[in-house]
Amino acid sequence: MTMWTEQSLVPGRVAPRWTASSAMRAGGPSTASCVPQVDRIGRSARAAYQWAWDMADLGIHFISVQEDIDTSTEAGWDEFKRYVTFSEMEWRRIKERTFAGRELKIGYGGWPGGPAPYGYRIADDTTRVWENRRKFSVLVTDEHESMVLAAAVALLIDEGVNITETAAALNRRGLHTRSGVPWTTANLRNRLYSETIHDGYVLYRKTDRGVGRRNTLVHADGTPVHGEQVKIGVPAIFSVERAKLLMSALKEVGFRNGRQGDRVYPLSGRIMGLCGEVYTGAGRGWQRSRPRLSL
């Protein structure tokens, strides 16, 4: 029998991280898998049932210690299905309450979570309502990062240098990025074009970041799945006049990155395929709808 402890499971996950193959690797051939409780298999009924069926096909039944369930019997299967239904109901309630709490926080101007935009940091809200302090986080100006942005803007506006020269000047002064690495032209350009500087807000649930686990889920029409986009106001780092001068300077210099004549640059993104997409270079993986250039 294979024993699964709390350390080998991921509580709260919708689907189980461990499968029949991992069970075989962990303890070799087995006839039963034992876990602390049913919801450690998966919060959704679909995931839990699929896992149990896969195990049953291999001749492995499931035992839950806390609920005293053994799927090797008909009664055990009935109990298993009942507790799986309860687990999914609990998961959905938690999900709905979490979503409602996040929406309430956003409505009050709070920060819903995740890293703060460059130039800001996350702090506890000190606003009091009816003698009670609000218990959520907000964005406030970060002194060091706002100073770095001010230095970059001064170079662009007052000295008339381009973005590449600005990034090099910041690196010479030791004014690096938040993670401590030197500035690149593209990185600095993205920070200076941020809506927090020019528009005074952060757009929550952005839909222009492509696909990925950390990106906003969208419907087929491109709208967010979990609510509408929300603009969260932030303290201004620059005055309105200074922000306008910055935008004018950025438009004037464009994306001049100081290319050197004796340096070799890749052709990725510059060769058009017959399908209308651009070649992205040779790679180890296959990307659908994108031609690849075999070298």
Side-chain angles (χ1 to χ4, degrees):
M1 181 172 65
T2 303
M3 298 290 293
W4 297 98
T5 63
E6 291 285 345
Q7 290 74 24
S8 61
L9 305 176
V10 185
R13 285 177 61 96
V14 177
R17 182 176 62 180
W18 40 284
T19 60
S21 59
S22 60
M24 300 296 283
R25 290 194 302 269
S30 177
T31 59
S33 289
C34 182
V35 298
Q37 55 192 98
V38 172
D39 60 6
R40 295 307 188 264
I41 298 177
R43 288 290 192 175
S44 70
R46 177 181 179 182
Y49 287 147
Q50 187 62 55
W51 178 87
W53 292 331
D54 290 342
M55 288 294 188
D57 291 341
L58 297 175
I60 303 175
H61 63 271
F62 161 76
I63 296 176
S64 175
V65 176
Q66 182 170 319
E67 294 89 357
D68 192 20
I69 295 175
D70 185 349
T71 59
S72 62
T73 65
E74 290 294 332
W77 264 108
D78 292 339
E79 284 293 298
F80 171 72
K81 291 186 289 185
R82 188 164 67 90
Y83 276 99
V84 164
T85 302
F86 291 156
S87 297
E88 180 167 7
M89 291 173 59
E90 180 187 12
W91 169 67
R92 291 188 180 278
R93 281 196 300 267
I94 294 173
K95 183 178 179 181
E96 291 173 358
R97 291 172 182 172
T98 302
F99 178 77
R102 185 183 296 117
E103 292 299 302
L104 179 62
K105 181 189 296 185
I106 296 173
Y108 279 112
W111 184 242
Y118 190 83
Y120 298 89
R121 60 181 175 85
I122 302 173
D124 293 334
D125 188 13
T126 58
T127 305
R128 290 187 174 273
V129 179
W130 299 103
E131 302 300 327
N132 295 319
R133 185 172 65 83
R134 294 175 179 170
K135 296 182 180 180
F136 50 75
S137 303
V138 294
L139 292 181
V140 297
T141 304
D142 184 88
E143 295 182 1
H144 174 73
E145 293 181 356
S146 61
M147 179 270 294
V148 175
L149 290 174
V153 171
L155 290 168
L156 284 166
I157 297 177
D158 302 331
E159 300 187 22
V161 300
N162 60 34
I163 301 177
T164 299
E165 294 168 340
T166 300
L170 293 177
N171 293 332
R172 286 194 299 270
R173 299 180 187 180
L175 302 177
H176 294 156
T177 64
R178 177 180 294 176
S179 59
V181 300
W183 287 102
T184 63
T185 303
N187 193 2
L188 181 58
R189 180 177 182 269
N190 291 336
R191 301 290 84 76
L192 295 175
Y193 266 105
S194 173
E195 68 266 10
T196 56
I197 294 178
H198 301 281
D199 302 317
Y201 65 81
V202 178
L203 185 61
Y204 182 61
R205 298 193 183 101
K206 293 183 178 179
T207 59
D208 57 352
R209 292 183 174 179
V211 295
R213 193 179 69 174
R214 296 183 178 273
N215 295 331
T216 302
L217 294 176
V218 296
H219 294 291
D221 59 357
T223 58
V225 173
H226 300 298
E228 299 179 354
Q229 291 183 333
V230 180
K231 295 180 180 179
I232 303 175
V234 294
I237 296 179
F238 302 109
S239 64
V240 176
E241 294 76 12
R242 193 69 168 171
K244 289 182 179 179
L245 291 174
L246 172 60
M247 181 57 71
S248 299
L250 291 173
K251 291 180 179 179
E252 181 179 352
V253 300
F255 192 50
R256 298 199 302 254
N257 55 8
R259 292 192 171 187
Q260 303 173 3
D262 58 348
R263 184 175 175 181
V264 178
Y265 294 94
L267 295 177
S268 178
R270 299 179 178 274
I271 302 177
M272 185 74 68
L274 296 178
C275 62
E277 296 288 342
V278 295
Y279 285 97
T280 58
R284 297 180 179 179
W286 171 259
Q287 296 181 356
R288 293 183 179 179
S289 72
R290 276 193 177 275
R292 304 195 67 82
L293 180 61
S294 300
L295 300 178

